[in-house]
Amino acid sequence: MPQKLHIKTFGCQMNEYDSSRMADLLRASHGYHTTDDPDAADMVLLNTCSVREKAQEKVFSQLGRWRQIKARKPGLVIGVGGCVASQEGEMIMKRAPYVDIVFGPQTLHRLPALLDRVLQKRARSVDISFPEIEKFDCLPPPRVVGVKAFVSIMEGCGKYCSFCVVPYTRGTEFSRPFDDVITEVYDLAGRGVREVNLLGQNVNAYRGPRHDGRPVDLAELLHYVAAIDGIDRIRYTTSHPLDFTDALARAFAEIPELAGHLHLPVQSGSDRILQLMKRNYTARDYLRWVDKIRAHRPDISLSSDFIIGFPGETDADFAATMALIEAVGYDQSFSFIYSPRPGTPAAQLADDIPLAVKKARLQELQSRINAMAASIASRMVGGRETILVEGPSRKDPRQFAGRTENNRVVNFDGSPGMVGDFVSVTITEALPNSLRGVAAPEKKVA
Ligand code: SAM
Ligand code: F3S
């Protein structure tokens, strides 16, 4: 019987990606198969996130549950990875003596060696260093599940926004070599992947060296990825507005494979708050970037992250955020109440906005953006969309589901032979979380 591995993931897409790489790695090195049931596992891994509050409490309450399993099953190996591990490695070992392994986002490739130490010597290990390039060199090729794949093209972040813990937990910016990225995408295309999402905390700062040493930026990389046979849809997440070059805006006109959706976090519409956040742009700069992008792809759908209740945020600052939202017209948002992160400069500022005010502002912002998204969805009714068919629909297995360029799920009457195809559908109905459509007679091969 193969050994079983259970992974619990908190946080962002980068963490989801890292978790799937942990599973690939331990399958290749130790033959572990993944399971959704921690009680059935021989090894359990917690991939943590510390971007927002309660990260530590969540980690220790999860570990407490696993401790009970270990009491019944002493051979269970418990590992903690991700950003909380990176920040609090030794403290986790002290507070949770039943944890065997602590590793950071940049040392997950050393998991097999750390596991061997536990299995052979029953020795507990902490490895939360930042060995940069080594990580990518040591990972096996990713396992392909379905027709879409994430490809991590850079690690860490060097922007040091005053509120953010990422540069401290994941280290500074580091780009994967261009040739390695291209090889990985070729390999994925050969295994049936049709859509790739290039990932990085600050992905448009990508500067991957070529074999001759010349750095390639994200715009140039996109052209190369689009030229790979089989890859017909490309996304990238997350972009920082400051690194949004003219070449990247032009790419929306030049590269039809580039999906018409962009996540471009603004965080706030108030210049005073943006300065305190150390974002290094103004609301007007951001609107100019949006205009430039729309000049090349007029129907692009935009989403953003917002932080509500940053220290000192006044009603006027919040009104400036709402005004920016009206000016841009967003399709989606990831909005969060500010949470002071230990070790960041903003944590020195008084967190002075009453929680009720923060919650009311968050509610106002979210309902406005939800209304904008609903009106975009209803305007899509009657129009045609190209969707990448991913498989049977979640609610009704007789139906099939795919996503539009602006990332909406469309359910329609399809057939198994359509999975992995780009299909043209006419949208017939907009529901709160999805669309319904009918496949147009001819099949579009993008
Ligand atoms: N690279 C992206 C950018 O250009 O802004 C951000 C990546 S960050 C890991 C993801 C999001 O988490 C941020 O955009 C921000 O909205 C949110 N976030 C980060 N630190 C936060 C904090 N201390 N409190 C609340 N939200 C936070
Ligand atoms: Fe964080 Fe700012 Fe980088 S939000 S991930 S420090 S761009």
Side-chain angles (χ1 to χ4, degrees), residues 182-209:
I182 290 296
T183 308
E184 185 166 324
V185 180
Y186 259 113
D187 176 59
L188 291 168
R191 293 192 279 152
V193 167
R194 308 296 313 275
E195 172 180 322
V196 287
N197 193 336
L198 308 178
L199 286 186
Q201 291 294 345
N202 197 5
V203 72
N204 56 336
Y206 178 78
R207 296 285 181 283

Side-chain angles (χ1 to χ4, degrees), residues 199-252:
L199 286 186
Q201 291 294 345
N202 197 5
V203 72
N204 56 336
Y206 178 78
R207 296 285 181 283
R210 269 171 29 140
H211 48 275
D212 59 3
R214 179 172 76 77
V216 172
D217 66 9
L218 181 63
E220 189 176 349
L221 177 68
L222 290 172
H223 281 275
Y224 278 96
V225 171
I228 295 175
D229 269 353
I231 300 299
D232 289 316
R233 193 176 270 174
I234 308 170
R235 302 180 191 274
Y236 55 89
T237 343
T238 298
S239 296
H240 191 291
L242 260 195
D243 292 313
F244 212 88
T245 58
D246 288 352
L248 271 178
R250 276 199 311 277
F252 280 108

Side-chain angles (χ1 to χ4, degrees), residues 228-379:
I228 295 175
D229 269 353
I231 300 299
D232 289 316
R233 193 176 270 174
I234 308 170
R235 302 180 191 274
Y236 55 89
T237 343
T238 298
S239 296
H240 191 291
L242 260 195
D243 292 313
F244 212 88
T245 58
D246 288 352
L248 271 178
R250 276 199 311 277
F252 280 108
E254 295 164 352
I255 306 178
E257 289 84 355
L258 200 51
H261 171 80
L262 177 67
H263 185 60
L264 195 61
V266 67
Q267 312 296 355
S268 169
S270 152
D271 291 345
R272 202 178 66 81
I273 296 293
L274 286 170
Q275 200 176 2
L276 288 171
M277 288 178 164
K278 214 169 143 287
R279 295 290 290 183
N280 294 322
Y281 55 79
T282 63
R284 182 184 283 217
D285 294 332
Y286 184 89
L287 291 173
R288 258 193 241 116
W289 284 310
V290 167
D291 283 347
K292 206 179 283 173
I293 295 162
R294 286 203 166 125
H296 293 289
R297 190 70 78 85
D299 58 352
I300 196 159
S301 113
L302 293 169
S303 58
S304 173
D305 295 345
F306 295 93
I307 294 182
I308 307 303
F310 188 83
E313 184 189 69
T314 61
D315 284 343
D317 293 319
F318 179 65
T321 299
M322 293 304 290
L324 180 128
I325 289 171
E326 290 308 318
V328 173
Y330 287 104
D331 201 0
Q332 201 185 7
S333 81
F334 299 88
S335 36
F336 310 103
I337 285 180
Y338 168 72
S339 144
R341 301 287 69 215
T344 60
Q348 308 293 320
L349 304 170
D351 184 10
D352 53 356
I353 319 288
L355 186 60
V357 173
K358 291 180 182 170
K359 282 187 172 167
R361 287 179 186 164
L362 183 70
Q363 165 77 39
E364 184 181 339
L365 180 146
Q366 289 182 336
S367 22
R368 184 64 195 115
I369 292 184
N370 288 344
M372 286 177 165
S375 102
I376 292 173
S378 62
R379 284 203 305 273

Side-chain angles (χ1 to χ4, degrees), residues 157 159-161 163-164 166-167 201-202 240 267 279:
C157 181
K159 286 282 187 284
Y160 291 91
C161 300
F163 52 81
C164 185
V166 167
Q201 291 294 345
N202 197 5
H240 191 291
Q267 312 296 355
R279 295 290 290 183

Side-chain angles (χ1 to χ4, degrees), residues 44-111:
V44 286
L45 290 178
L46 184 57
N47 192 5
T48 61
C49 169
S50 56
V51 166
R52 282 173 293 278
E53 68 189 330
K54 305 224 171 74
Q56 279 182 23
E57 291 89 316
K58 268 172 82 177
V59 168
F60 285 105
S61 67
Q62 182 62 56
L63 289 176
R65 285 194 284 277
W66 286 352
R67 175 191 202 168
Q68 289 165 12
I69 304 180
K70 192 160 179 161
R72 297 194 299 274
K73 212 173 156 182
L76 180 71
V77 177
I78 302 183
V80 183
C83 292
V84 177
S86 166
Q87 272 198 310
E88 311 282 356
E90 295 296 343
M91 194 268 277
I92 294 173
M93 284 308 223
K94 253 195 226 126
R95 235 179 102 176
Y98 47 90
V99 167
D100 302 289
I101 301 171
V102 172
F103 57 102
Q106 310 304 9
T107 47
L108 67 88
H109 58 287
R110 296 183 182 161
L111 259 177

Side-chain angles (χ1 to χ4, degrees), residues 125-144:
S125 307
V126 181
D127 187 345
I128 48 176
S129 51
F130 294 127
E132 297 198 331
I133 179 67
E134 193 187 296
K135 169 174 171 181
F136 289 114
D137 280 351
C138 297
L139 292 172
R143 229 158 58 90
V144 172

